[in-house]
Amino acid sequence: MQGKVGYFVGKLVELLVTLLLVSLLVFAAFSIIPGDTARIMLGPDASEAQVNLLRTQLGLDKPLVARYFSWLFGILTFNPGTSYAYNMSVGELISQRLPVTIGMSAIAMVMVVLISYPLAVLSARKPGRLGDQVCSVIGHVLFAIPPYVASLLLILLASSLFSLVTVGNYVAPSDDFSGFVGCLLLPSFAIALPKIAMSFKFLRSSIIEQRASDYVRTSKSHGLSDLKILVRHVLPNSNVSSITIISIILSDILGGSLIVEQVFNLPGLGRLLLSAISRRDFPLLSGIVFYLAFITVLLYFLSDILAAITDPRIRLK
Amino acid sequence: MTRHIHIVKVHHLTLSFPTRKNPNPKPVLDDVDFGIRDGEILGLIGNSGCGKTMTSLAIAGLLPENAEITSGSIKFAGKNLLEMSPKERRAMLGKDIGMIFQEPSTALDPLMVIGKQLEEVLTAHKENNLSKEERRQAIIDMLKLVGFPNAEEIMTRYPHQLSGGQRQRVLIAGAALLKPRLLICDEPTSSLDTVTTISILELLKELCHKLHITILFISHDLSVVRGFCDRVMVMRNGKIVDRDTASDILTNPRNAFTAELLTNARLDTRILGFEPIKVDYEKEPVLTAKDITAGYGRSLFENIKNKKSKDAGINMVLKGVSLDVYPNEILGLIGGSGSGKTTLIRSLLGLLPHTGTVSIKSDRIGVIFQDPVSCLNPAHTIKWHMLEALNASSRAKEIKGTGTYEERKARTRARIIEVLDICGLGEEYLTRHPNELSGGQRQRVAIAMCLVQDPSLIIADEPFSSLDASSSAELLKLVTDINREQHTAFLLITHNIHIVRQIAPRVIVMSDGKICEEGITSDVLNDPKSEAASALLAAERQIHGSLS
């Protein structure tokens, strides 16, 4: 009893504590950034009295602790205030842009799984053979290409050579969902490429390792076919270790999408974040950073839970 | 089917591992020629690397991909196996030829419950068209046959929730489930304790008779095949050097190599002649454990399924165990596998959640585990290991003392060298890595790592079972020396009754998660009151009796 319920409760407490620390860190980081928000908003020509008035309106004159708690309350109720720059609710701004970033990350993740798994399985069948070596070399090359370079190369390829995809065209999901997915395919692929290589490399060695294990030998001696052994024993066991890697890849993809959005001119969180930075839009900036951190921490939490569900040994610890 | 006198006939088999650099290497199997008679138990004996396992894998068709059979043939019930397609050979596995292996701890898929893994044996062979309920019944019957009265319960367990002996029984159940004609057993007992070994051997013999299974039994230990095999073959460097009936080979070895193997099997009588020291049982114990109960949980989903019964969520392995260890004493703890010895140690050390209380007079207890290979970090030197142990100890400051960095460093080094010296390792070992040491030396390092912390108690969990007879005799001497000179108490978990008889003045016998007998060693061993203690003694006599 203690073992498993304790494990889940422990992980949940861990999640909450991490989020609290993240909120403190985010708030502290934005508080120590030099520069006066009110002064920046009003410009160098505004009088001291005007600046002071705005400061009072924004609540910037309150003590730090009070500001932290009112900010935390706003964040937790999904209402982190009004953006200075856009003059819109931060929650609304983020929820407008979130589908692009999340959609792109999700498509990239699907690509990673769909491409790296079959390749890893095929490669691991006969390690050291030509096919395996070709895959490994291509993997190394892809691993070395950062997503923004891959984006540019893909744009070149897709637009000038094949003219398959209209680059730089954005279709809102509410207008045409398949069009929305279509315009995200290429940027997603650019983010996915190095991650495909990473996941391939990891899975391949994990499958090779599992195939050499004693229980596979036992299954062989029971007369199980190679396919059955692969599906029922080798893959589930290599998945146990892959879950952690996949969660790291996912959070990497989320970060990568912020940059790729710029290259493909997509209205996602990344562009919102950059404009918030350049305009010193504290409520917007802290909102985006906190929610992104929240998604990442949540992913790790889910991967821990998933690992505990798949591996019966974890709960003992 | 026609009946053949020989169920398997290996005919002048030569096998090697050619590589691109060396296309004609020395053969691993060199002109191996023998037959296995229908219904017999044939022993195949030899040191590690002599080709026993390769012979068995060649028969089963599970050779590594880079192995090449250069000449010879293998016939099973008259059919030449080497001319069959891989698919035909696979169809024979499990159905005609079953196999069990040496290491039961890794031979089961850790993510799958036992019932499912056994069911795979049945579903892998389509021709026996059983319904789900029939399959379940077949598995329950087989698990009962291999000695699990609680078969339904075992089916829902994961491999890590079973002991080594239990896992080996599960593997035997899997191999025997389709009632194959030949069962290949590759060192099935070498990682098990004596009592479990005897019970596994008895089980195999029973299966051999009840299900009419022929057994090829591979082992490096001559004493194990005694009274078990009908005939024995001795292998050396890929060749069969001796073959005879089991009784002849053991009483009257004609071959010099067989005689040498026989001598090695007798070695553990070397430990005779140690004097146990006097222990004052009036003193306050160094370790007191009261009413320890512990167990392993089931998975979350099973728990939700079994919500009705409240205690169904946990499988108790320890049921209210209490014990005291007094200063200076060597307390022996014996019991068959699965009796809860290791679970008790883990609970005492606080590595496993448990109820009950454990109080330790000094906060310094050392532990020595069974497997010295994986206990040391291969990336670091012995000095690093010793330093780490020293720094983790609550006495680190005391030993290092005060003064400049150089002075403290010198004192630390002196202390480490002193401890290594006690353990029979010289100063030159400081810079060595674990892979440069033998198994016995590694276990010495493990003891030194405990000793450097100046513990009042060392818990040793089967510290000798992975070592050969001469190393374990030397280590045993070391343990008694430390006990006498450093006044360290030992809680010694072992399955070797010889050792307990010689060095432990007091002994505790565990069975089924409880302490079933405890007292002065000579009393317990000469006149055992409990069934478990009698069984242990009987097993010991059966294996080592006539040899020692």
Side-chain angles (χ1 to χ4, degrees):
Chain A
M1 270 324 260
Q2 239 171 325
K4 65 202 102 108
V5 177
Y7 181 82
F8 290 116
V9 171
K11 282 287 162 197
L12 197 67
V13 171
E14 223 171 80
L15 170 79
L16 294 176
V17 171
T18 315
L19 283 178
L20 198 70
L21 286 176
V22 165
S23 76
L24 270 172
L25 213 65
V26 170
F27 186 81
F30 288 115
S31 305
I32 57 173
I33 294 174
D36 187 343
T37 316
R39 167 62 70 194
I40 291 160
M41 283 174 74
L42 292 174
D45 299 333
S47 71
E48 196 61 31
Q50 280 174 310
V51 173
N52 277 338
L53 185 68
L54 184 64
R55 215 178 267 143
T56 321
Q57 278 174 358
L58 294 176
L60 292 178
D61 53 343
K62 285 185 197 143
L64 207 60
V65 179
R67 268 161 59 205
Y68 169 69
F69 280 109
S70 71
W71 174 78
L72 187 65
F73 180 76
I75 284 278
L76 294 180
T77 50
F78 296 101
N79 182 25
T82 311
S83 156
Y84 304 156
Y86 292 84
N87 212 7
M88 267 172 83
S89 149
V90 169
E92 202 179 315
L93 267 171
I94 291 179
S95 59
Q96 266 176 14
R97 306 297 186 95
L98 203 61
V100 176
T101 306
I102 296 288
M104 214 154 71
S105 303
I107 295 171
M109 198 60 226
V110 171
M111 284 175 174
V112 168
V113 172
L114 285 187
I115 297 174
S116 67
Y117 261 77
L119 277 183
V121 169
L122 287 176
S123 237
R125 270 180 82 88
K126 299 250 161 83
R129 297 283 173 93
L130 189 68
D132 175 42
Q133 285 183 348
V134 169
C135 281
S136 292
V137 169
I138 295 177
H140 282 131
V141 173
L142 290 183
F143 197 43
I145 303 178
Y148 50 91
V149 176
S151 312
L152 292 173
L153 291 175
L154 281 174
I155 290 173
L156 262 175
L157 267 176
S159 57
S160 62
L161 287 180
F162 304 110
S163 33
L164 281 176
V165 193
T166 4
V167 175
N169 234 3
Y170 173 68
V171 184
S174 48
D175 297 345
D176 173 10
F177 190 74
S178 57
F180 168 71
V181 173
C183 73
L184 292 184
L185 279 180
L186 206 56
S188 303
F189 192 56
I191 312 167
L193 269 180
K195 302 302 159 200
I196 290 171
M198 182 177 170
S199 152
F200 162 78
K201 219 169 137 54
F202 185 83
L203 266 172
R204 175 185 166 274
S205 56
S206 165
I207 291 173
I208 290 174
E209 190 192 316
Q210 296 298 337
R211 275 170 61 102
S213 60
D214 285 356
Y215 61 81
V216 167
R217 186 183 58 183
T218 307
S219 303
K220 275 187 189 162
S221 80
H222 288 166
L224 262 71
S225 66
D226 285 352
L227 185 70
K228 252 192 175 167
I229 292 177
L230 180 79
V231 173
R232 302 200 49 156
H233 298 287
V234 173
L235 284 183
N237 273 285
S238 42
N239 275 345
V240 169
S241 43
S242 309
I243 287 170
T244 321
I245 294 290
I246 293 284
S247 71
I248 293 171
I249 287 181
L250 244 173
S251 65
D252 266 13
I253 283 179
L254 207 62
S257 71
L258 299 183
I259 297 161
V260 171
E261 278 166 18
Q262 292 297 310
V263 183
F264 281 88
N265 200 21
L266 292 170
L269 275 184
R271 284 182 61 201
L272 196 64
L273 185 72
L274 281 186
S275 81
I277 291 171
S278 60
R279 298 198 207 176
R280 233 171 242 287
D281 191 345
F282 172 74
L284 182 57
L285 199 50
S286 59
I288 297 175
V289 171
F290 180 81
Y291 288 131
L292 281 179
F294 174 75
I295 293 174
T296 311
V297 176
L298 196 69
L299 284 177
Y300 288 145
F301 169 73
L302 290 177
S303 85
D304 281 346
I305 298 295
L306 203 61
I309 290 172
T310 43
D311 190 346
R313 290 162 298 182
I314 285 182
R315 286 180 299 272
L316 287 174
K317 288 171 192 162
Chain B
M1 197 189 280
T2 46
R3 257 183 90 80
H4 294 262
I5 300 169
H6 282 123
I7 183 166
V8 173
K9 189 91 185 105
V10 177
H11 196 64
H12 298 292
L13 188 73
T14 302
L15 180 141
S16 60
F17 288 90
T19 54
R20 219 176 282 169
K21 276 187 193 153
N22 184 6
N24 289 309
K26 193 176 170 290
V28 177
L29 295 182
D30 192 357
D31 198 30
V32 171
D33 194 275
F34 67 95
I36 307 174
R37 294 172 194 158
D38 199 3
E40 79 169 337
I41 301 180
L42 175 64
L44 185 55
I45 307 296
N47 283 329
S48 64
C50 73
K52 311 176 299 262
T53 299
M54 282 304 148
T55 309
S56 68
L57 292 179
I59 295 171
L62 291 172
L63 282 172
E65 275 173 26
N66 51 346
E68 195 182 296
I69 294 176
T70 43
S71 68
S73 67
I74 304 169
K75 282 189 175 152
F76 183 88
K79 288 173 281 183
N80 190 347
L81 294 179
L82 301 181
E83 285 166 3
M84 286 182 174
S85 72
K87 207 175 167 187
E88 283 172 313
R89 295 209 71 175
R90 200 177 65 220
M92 291 183 71
L93 284 172
K95 194 163 72 78
D96 296 314
I97 302 176
M99 265 195 108
I100 51 175
F101 303 94
Q102 175 171 5
E103 200 44 71
S105 58
T106 50
L108 290 163
D109 187 340
L111 304 183
M112 209 181 253
V113 292
I114 301 303
K116 270 211 165 147
Q117 299 199 39
L118 292 178
E119 196 178 354
E120 279 188 349
V121 185
L122 297 172
T123 49
H125 297 273
K126 296 220 169 59
E127 59 277 15
N128 53 102
N129 240 327
L130 299 174
S131 70
K132 201 171 162 57
E133 197 41 52
E134 281 169 328
R135 286 202 297 266
R136 190 181 147 79
Q137 198 51 49
I139 294 166
I140 290 175
D141 290 346
M142 184 48 76
L143 282 174
K144 284 194 171 144
L145 185 63
V146 298
F148 289 114
N150 54 340
E152 281 97 339
E153 151 94 38
I154 291 293
M155 282 176 75
T156 63
R157 292 231 200 147
Y158 286 99
H160 70 264
Q161 295 165 328
L162 302 179
S163 71
Q166 288 173 320
R167 284 182 222 180
Q168 196 61 289
R169 282 171 191 276
V170 167
L171 286 163
I172 292 174
L177 203 50
L178 289 170
K179 306 187 175 51
R181 297 187 61 194
L182 174 69
L183 184 63
I184 299 172
C185 309
D186 189 356
E187 307 254 13
T189 57
S190 57
S191 61
L192 303 174
D193 64 70
T194 324
V195 179
T196 319
T197 297
I198 291 291
S199 65
I200 293 286
L201 292 182
E202 274 170 359
L203 168 65
L204 286 172
K205 202 151 204 173
E206 194 188 329
L207 289 178
C208 175
H209 292 149
K210 272 194 188 158
L211 308 176
H212 192 76
I213 295 177
T214 309
I215 292 177
L216 173 61
F217 187 87
I218 295 167
S219 178
H220 68 270
D221 188 356
L222 261 179
S223 61
V224 172
V225 301
R226 197 187 137 270
F228 175 67
C229 296
D230 303 314
R231 286 194 306 141
V232 175
M233 297 192 300
V234 181
M235 252 188 133
R236 190 189 188 186
N237 296 335
K239 287 190 171 120
I240 292 175
V241 292
D242 197 8
R243 65 181 88 192
D244 212 333
T245 59
S247 52
D248 278 356
I249 246 179
L250 286 157
T251 48
N252 186 21
R254 285 168 299 173
N255 186 291
F257 181 66
T258 313
E260 192 190 318
L261 281 179
L262 210 59
T263 323
N264 282 343
R266 285 186 185 133
L267 268 182
D268 71 334
T269 46
R270 276 196 198 182
I271 61 170
L272 291 166
F274 290 140
E275 268 299 305
I277 58 160
K278 289 267 169 289
V279 178
D280 186 358
Y281 292 110
E282 299 300 307
K283 279 191 190 164
E284 190 192 343
V286 279
L287 181 139
T288 309
K290 277 216 170 65
D291 210 16
I292 304 285
T293 298
Y296 298 101
R298 285 194 193 144
S299 88
L300 180 71
F301 295 126
E302 288 162 65
N303 216 42
I304 292 168
K305 262 192 273 171
N306 298 333
K307 221 171 182 177
K308 286 160 266 164
S309 50
K310 209 173 177 203
D311 61 0
I314 203 150
N315 309 312
M316 283 306 161
V317 178
L318 286 182
K319 298 152 191 159
V321 172
S322 305
L323 64 93
D324 294 312
V325 185
Y326 293 92
N328 283 358
E329 92 167 323
I330 299 181
L331 174 62
L333 176 60
I334 55 177
S337 87
S339 58
K341 300 186 301 262
T342 299
T343 309
L344 175 63
I345 299 311
R346 295 183 57 192
S347 302
L348 291 181
L349 293 170
L351 297 174
L352 193 73
H354 57 83
T355 58
T357 55
V358 179
S359 59
I360 298 162
K361 204 178 79 181
S362 107
D363 57 347
R364 294 189 298 275
I365 19 174
V367 204
I368 310 165
F369 293 102
Q370 180 170 0
D371 178 14
V373 179
S374 50
C375 278
L376 303 177
N377 186 335
H380 292 289
T381 59
I382 302 310
K383 187 182 172 192
W384 181 90
H385 283 92
M386 297 298 292
L387 269 177
E388 191 179 62
L390 182 66
N391 288 332
S393 143
S394 56
R395 280 203 58 206
K397 278 220 176 83
E398 211 177 304
I399 290 162
K400 287 180 183 169
T402 51
T404 63
Y405 173 71
E406 292 303 324
E407 281 169 11
R408 278 179 290 150
K409 203 174 155 189
R411 263 198 292 269
T412 309
R413 189 181 163 84
R415 168 72 182 161
I416 289 176
I417 290 171
E418 180 197 338
V419 170
L420 281 178
D421 188 54
I422 294 173
C423 296
L425 298 169
E427 200 180 329
E428 69 274 14
Y429 284 91
L430 281 179
T431 53
R432 301 233 178 127
H433 284 85
N435 60 357
E436 296 165 54
L437 306 179
S438 71
Q441 286 170 330
R442 288 182 211 204
Q443 206 60 300
R444 280 169 194 271
V445 172
I447 295 175
M449 281 170 71
C450 289
L451 217 52
V452 81
Q453 303 189 332
D454 195 15
S456 50
L457 168 69
I458 292 181
I459 296 177
D461 188 1
E462 307 256 12
F464 314 117
S465 61
S466 65
L467 303 175
D468 62 62
S470 53
S471 317
S472 63
E474 283 165 21
L475 272 179
L476 209 52
K477 183 159 176 356
L478 175 63
V479 165
T480 49
D481 287 349
I482 291 171
N483 175 247
R484 195 174 302 122
E485 284 154 25
Q486 316 285 324
H487 305 292
T488 312
F490 277 87
L491 174 57
L492 182 68
I493 293 94
T494 177
H495 60 255
N496 192 328
I497 293 184
H498 272 287
I499 293 176
V500 172
R501 200 191 290 273
Q502 292 310 318
I503 71 167
R506 203 160 64 91
V507 67
I508 288 178
V509 186
M510 272 188 85
S511 162
D512 194 25
K514 287 179 204 139
I515 289 178
C516 59
E517 196 163 352
E518 86 176 281
I520 303 301
T521 306
S522 52
D523 297 350
V524 173
L525 295 186
N526 293 336
D527 181 23
K529 301 274 186 295
S530 66
E531 217 172 278
S534 316
L536 281 164
L537 279 161
E540 192 71 14
R541 264 198 297 278
Q542 207 170 335
I543 279 211
H544 296 286
S546 71
L547 281 171
S548 49

